[in-house]
Amino acid sequence: MKVCKFERMNNEDEVKQVIGCIQKEHPYVAVIPVLTQLQEWLQAISVSWFHEEDETSHTIVNAIEEYCRTLTDRLISDRKLNQDMKVQIEKCMEKIQVLVEDKADLLTDKIIKAEVYGLSNELFACCLRQQGLRAQTLDTGKFMQINLERKPDIPYIKESVQQYISEKRDADIFIAPLSLCKNVYGETDFMNEKRNDYYATVLATAFGADELLLSTQINHIYANRNSRREQHSLTYTEAEQLINSGVYLLYADCISLAAHSNITIRLTDTHDLTTERLYISSHDTGNSVKAILFQDSVTFVRFTSLNVLPGYLLVGKLLEVINKYKINVISMASSNVSISMVISASPDTLRIVQKELHKYAEMVIDENMSVIHIIGSLHWQRTQVESHIMNTIKDIPISQISYGGSDQCFTLSVHTTDKNRLISLLAAHFFENEFAT
C-alpha cells in the first residue's frame, strides 16, 4: 500500500500535475494541500474578522465562492459532478458566512479553516472521480487526534482508521487534507505545517502502508537522477544521523516512525513530481557517495585564542556562549590555538557573541558562505574516498573541512560564489553527469 503527500498546489496547472502523479503512482491515500489562493484568503479572513471588519470578511468569503466555482468549471467537465460540487460550495459558503457573523475566537477561526480545507479536498476528489477513480474524502478532523503534548496519538489513530476504511471498502483512493486534526478535547485543530511530512508519515503508519512518497522542498539536494535507485538510496540510520547532525532533510520523527513501521520513503521535489531525488529504506547499497546537499546563507567564524585562558577553558567558554544564544552549529574544526565554526546566526547575534568573547579570543567573521555535505558510506575504513573528493576540488578555495564526526557525511564550507562549480565537479566525478546551475 502506498501513501503520497503533496506539499503545494498553486494553480490549476499544478492541480493537474498532482492528478497526473496520482494516476502514475496509484496510492491508496493522497494527502493534499489546500490551494494556495484559498490559504491566502483564509489568512485575510482571520485578520479582518479579529479586527471586526465584517464587511471585508464577507467580501473575502464571496471571493472564495467565486474562485471555487470558476475552478470547478475549468477542472470538472462532467455535468453531474460539476453540479454536485457547486452544491457543496454553496453549502460551505453559507456556513462560513454564518460563522463570521459571530464574535471572533480562535476555535471558530479553526472551524472556518477546516471548512475551506474540506471544500478544497472535495474539489480534488471530484477531479479524480471524473478520471474514473472511486475517490473518497478522508475527514482527518475526526480521527487524526493529537495529545496534550500536541503529538499524534498513533494507537487511537490506527484504531479509528481501521474502523473507517472497513466502512468504505469500495474506495479506490482516499483524499486527506494536510495538517487537519482534532485535539485531546475533541476540538478542531491543526498540526504545525512545518511537520507536514510527519503528518503524512503518521497516516502511512495508520493505514499500514509500505511506501511513502513525499513531495517536499528539497531543491538543496543533488543526487544521481539518471541512475539506478541504488545509487541515491540512504538507510534509515544514515538519514537519521544526517538530520541529527544539522542537515535539513525531513522532520526527524519521520525517519524513526518510518523505520519502526518499515515504510520506504521516496522524496521528490515540489517542482518536479516525476523524478525521485532520494530513496530511504532499510537496505544499504554500500555506495561511497550517494548524494550532495548544500546550505546557503551561513557564516564562517574563526576564534583565535588571545592566550588569556588555557585551551580547554576557551573551548568550554565558547560552547557556553553558543548554548546561551541557541546558535545552530553546522560544522566545527579546531587546532591548538583556534576554533572555526560554520554557523547559522543573525548579524545581531554575532555582535553579542563577539562582545562576550572579546577578552578571550579574536573573532573573524566571513559571511555569504555555503556548506556542502557529501553523503554516503564514508567510514574511515573506506580508503581513498576523501582523497578523491579533495583531488576533484583542488582548485577551489575551501574555508573548512569537517570529516570523521559522522560515517555518513563529509562537510566542506566555501564562498557561495564557488558553490555551483564545486558541486558540478563533484557530480561529474561521482555521478558522471553535470549539475544544473
Side-chain angles (χ1 to χ4, degrees), residues 393-411:
I393 59 173
K394 61 185 179 182
D395 296 326
I396 297 178
I398 306 295
S399 62
Q400 182 182 290
I401 299 171
S402 180
Y403 178 52
S406 165
D407 291 340
Q408 283 78 41
C409 189
F410 187 108
T411 301

Side-chain angles (χ1 to χ4, degrees), residues 39-50:
Q39 286 181 323
E40 293 174 358
W41 274 326
L42 281 171
Q43 292 174 355
I45 286 176
S46 296
V47 172
S48 61
W49 191 37
F50 279 92

Side-chain angles (χ1 to χ4, degrees), residues 184-390:
V184 72
Y185 306 108
E187 299 167 336
T188 299
D189 212 329
F190 292 85
M191 285 180 62
N192 189 327
E193 291 185 359
K194 293 181 180 179
R195 298 183 179 181
N196 281 344
D197 292 329
Y198 184 54
Y199 183 88
T201 309
V202 171
L203 272 177
T205 301
F207 274 86
D210 51 24
E211 185 175 318
L212 175 61
L213 175 69
L214 297 176
S215 163
T216 191
Q217 294 282 3
I218 52 171
N219 54 4
H220 63 297
I221 297 177
Y222 184 73
N224 195 353
R225 306 181 202 179
N226 301 319
S227 69
R228 295 171 300 161
R229 172 175 286 168
E230 288 77 9
Q231 293 182 319
H232 58 259
S233 175
L234 301 180
T235 65
Y236 296 124
T237 301
E238 288 172 345
E240 201 163 27
Q241 288 187 8
L242 285 174
I243 294 168
N244 291 337
S245 65
V247 178
Y248 174 73
L249 190 61
L250 291 171
Y251 182 61
D253 286 352
C254 291
I255 305 299
S256 55
L257 184 56
H260 182 265
S261 305
N262 199 27
I263 300 171
T264 296
I265 298 177
R266 295 167 53 208
L267 296 184
T268 65
D269 189 66
T270 53
H271 300 289
D272 182 7
L273 300 178
T274 59
T275 304
E276 182 178 289
R277 301 290 290 274
L278 277 181
Y279 183 85
I280 304 171
S281 69
S282 58
H283 178 60
D284 187 0
T285 62
N287 283 21
S288 58
V289 175
K290 301 176 180 179
I292 300 167
L293 284 70
F294 59 86
Q295 294 172 264
D296 291 330
S297 303
V298 298
T299 303
F300 172 79
V301 183
R302 180 183 290 115
F303 301 93
T304 302
S305 175
L306 296 177
N307 298 317
V308 175
L309 294 176
Y312 62 92
L313 288 179
L314 177 63
V315 172
K317 182 65 177 178
L318 175 57
L319 294 179
E320 177 189 322
V321 173
I322 293 293
N323 178 63
K324 179 179 178 180
Y325 296 105
K326 296 179 173 58
I327 296 172
N328 179 31
V329 179
I330 298 166
S331 66
M332 183 167 66
S334 65
S335 69
N336 60 333
V337 294
S338 66
I339 300 168
S340 62
M341 295 181 175
V342 178
I343 62 176
S344 177
S346 69
D348 288 341
T349 302
L350 290 172
R351 280 192 288 271
I352 294 171
V353 171
Q354 192 165 25
K355 185 176 180 180
E356 289 216 14
L357 294 172
H358 76 279
K359 295 180 180 178
Y360 313 109
E362 179 187 2
M363 183 173 166
V364 176
I365 300 172
D366 198 349
E367 298 179 304
N368 300 315
M369 302 293 289
S370 292
V371 175
I372 313 297
H373 304 281
I374 302 162
I375 310 303
S377 298
L378 304 174
H379 192 273
W380 63 270
Q381 291 177 330
R382 296 181 72 95
T383 58
Q384 298 185 346
V385 174
E386 68 279 5
S387 62
H388 284 309
I389 293 172
M390 297 312 299

Side-chain angles (χ1 to χ4, degrees), residues 20 22 32 40 63 71 117 149 151 203-204 265 284 383:
I22 287 174
I32 304 297
E40 293 174 358
L71 206 57
Y117 271 50
E149 296 176 345
K151 294 182 179 179
L203 272 177
I265 298 177
D284 187 0
T383 58

Side-chain angles (χ1 to χ4, degrees), residues 71-87:
L71 206 57
T72 298
D73 287 334
R74 290 179 179 175
L75 292 172
I76 304 172
S77 57
D78 182 277
R79 185 175 178 180
K80 185 177 185 311
L81 287 173
N82 186 292
Q83 289 177 343
D84 289 347
M85 187 63 228
K86 286 180 178 176
V87 170

